[in-house]
């Protein structure tokens, strides 16, 4: 198994602690007046999404996580289970609602997503940064109420509820940023 020395520590590094994968979200080099240099790091658990702090001395090493990112196509949803297929090997993966997390709001059948595998088991999925969704239901807009940024809730084809501008109507196509969940623009068919 590969390992990283403290001199290779940087933001975005994927390491393994106690048999679980972690993403280094922050790494600070600290040189006290006397003694050894320290590396103070914030790590996010890629399975549970919790954040921990760890400190390593200069010269320490840590195991690299066996994490792989693949392209996977979303096939369908069955209750609280989401079925994906590896675009190259055609192997299917069954992810739970907890593993998919907030990404379910943007998943359309046939969409290509980025899936994270740890020891060949799926631990998370990331949809494309921008998706186009059809509005299934929203309250009608009030005429003349266009001077300010008036918003309203709208239900889209995935079942998610998003905040959209007042001029959006049922059956409109909207572009949404999946990282923030924000409305970007109305899309013409």
């Amino acid at each position: 198994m590969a390992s990283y020395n403290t001199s290779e520590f940087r933001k975005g590094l994927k390491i393994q602690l106690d048999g679980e994968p972690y993403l280094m979200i922050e790494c600070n080099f600290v040189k006290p007046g006397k003694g050894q240099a320290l590396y103070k790091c914030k790590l996010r658990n890629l399975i549970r999404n919790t954040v921990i702090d760890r400190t390593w001395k200069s010269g320490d090493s840590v195991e690299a996580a066996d994490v792989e990112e693949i392209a996977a196509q979303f096939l369908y949803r069955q209750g609280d289970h989401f079925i994906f297929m590896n675009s190259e090997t055609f192997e299917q993966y069954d992810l739970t609602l907890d593993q998919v997390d907030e990404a379910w709001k943007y998943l359309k059948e046939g969409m290509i997503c980025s899936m994270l595998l740890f020891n060949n088991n799926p631990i998370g999925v990331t949809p494309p940064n921008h998706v186009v969704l059809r509005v299934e239901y929203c309250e009608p807009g009030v005429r003349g109420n266009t001077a300010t940024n008036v918003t309203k809730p709208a239900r889209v084809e995935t079942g998610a509820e998003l905040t959209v501008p007042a001029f959006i109507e049922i059956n409109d196509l909207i572009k949404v940023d999946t990282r923030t969940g924000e409305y970007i623009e109305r899309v013409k068919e």
Side-chain angles (χ1 to χ4, degrees):
M1 183 61 88
S3 64
Y4 295 110
N5 194 320
T6 50
S7 62
E8 299 172 292
F9 280 10
R10 60 179 157 59
K11 184 178 175 180
L13 200 66
K14 293 178 179 88
I15 63 169
Q16 186 169 318
L17 292 176
D18 307 321
E20 292 193 341
Y22 285 85
L23 174 69
M24 199 171 284
I25 53 176
E26 194 177 299
C27 184
N28 296 311
F29 175 74
V30 179
K31 178 74 172 111
K34 59 181 183 182
Q36 228 174 359
L38 302 173
Y39 290 84
K40 295 187 178 205
C41 302
K42 276 192 189 310
L43 307 166
R44 175 178 290 122
N45 185 310
L46 291 172
I47 297 173
R48 291 193 302 274
N49 224 12
T50 55
V51 176
I52 63 169
D53 292 316
R54 281 285 165 97
T55 304
W56 283 276
K57 293 180 190 144
S58 181
D60 286 353
S61 64
V62 66
E63 198 174 338
D66 182 20
V67 176
E68 179 187 3
E69 209 164 313
I70 63 163
Q73 182 179 17
F74 175 59
L75 298 178
Y76 60 93
R77 178 179 182 171
Q78 190 171 355
D80 282 350
H81 289 270
F82 297 81
I83 312 302
F84 290 86
M85 179 180 66
N86 184 327
S87 300
E88 292 177 13
T89 64
F90 305 111
E91 185 178 347
Q92 289 192 6
Y93 299 101
D94 184 347
L95 275 76
T96 63
L97 188 58
D98 288 341
Q99 290 173 306
V100 173
D101 198 31
E102 293 287 305
W104 72 267
K105 295 178 180 180
Y106 314 108
L107 294 176
K108 289 171 57 174
E109 289 184 8
M111 176 182 282
I112 302 294
C113 300
S114 175
M115 183 181 287
L116 206 57
L117 301 176
F118 175 63
N119 293 335
N120 290 327
N121 294 320
I123 56 173
V125 67
T126 307
N129 290 342
H130 300 104
V131 295
V132 176
L133 301 170
R134 184 173 301 281
V135 175
E136 282 190 340
Y137 178 78
C138 63
E139 294 294 326
V142 179
R143 288 218 177 271
N145 205 352
T146 57
T148 57
N149 290 343
V150 179
T151 60
K152 63 183 179 182
R155 190 176 67 239
V156 293
E157 61 187 297
T158 61
E161 226 174 72
L162 305 171
T163 303
V164 298
F167 60 80
I168 297 295
E169 297 172 0
I170 295 174
N171 282 329
D172 280 354
L173 291 175
I174 59 171
K175 186 185 256 188
V176 179
D177 187 329
T178 61
R179 297 163 294 190
T180 61
E182 292 177 4
Y183 164 88
I184 298 173
E185 65 183 352
R186 182 167 38 181
V187 179
K188 297 278 185 237
E189 286 192 57

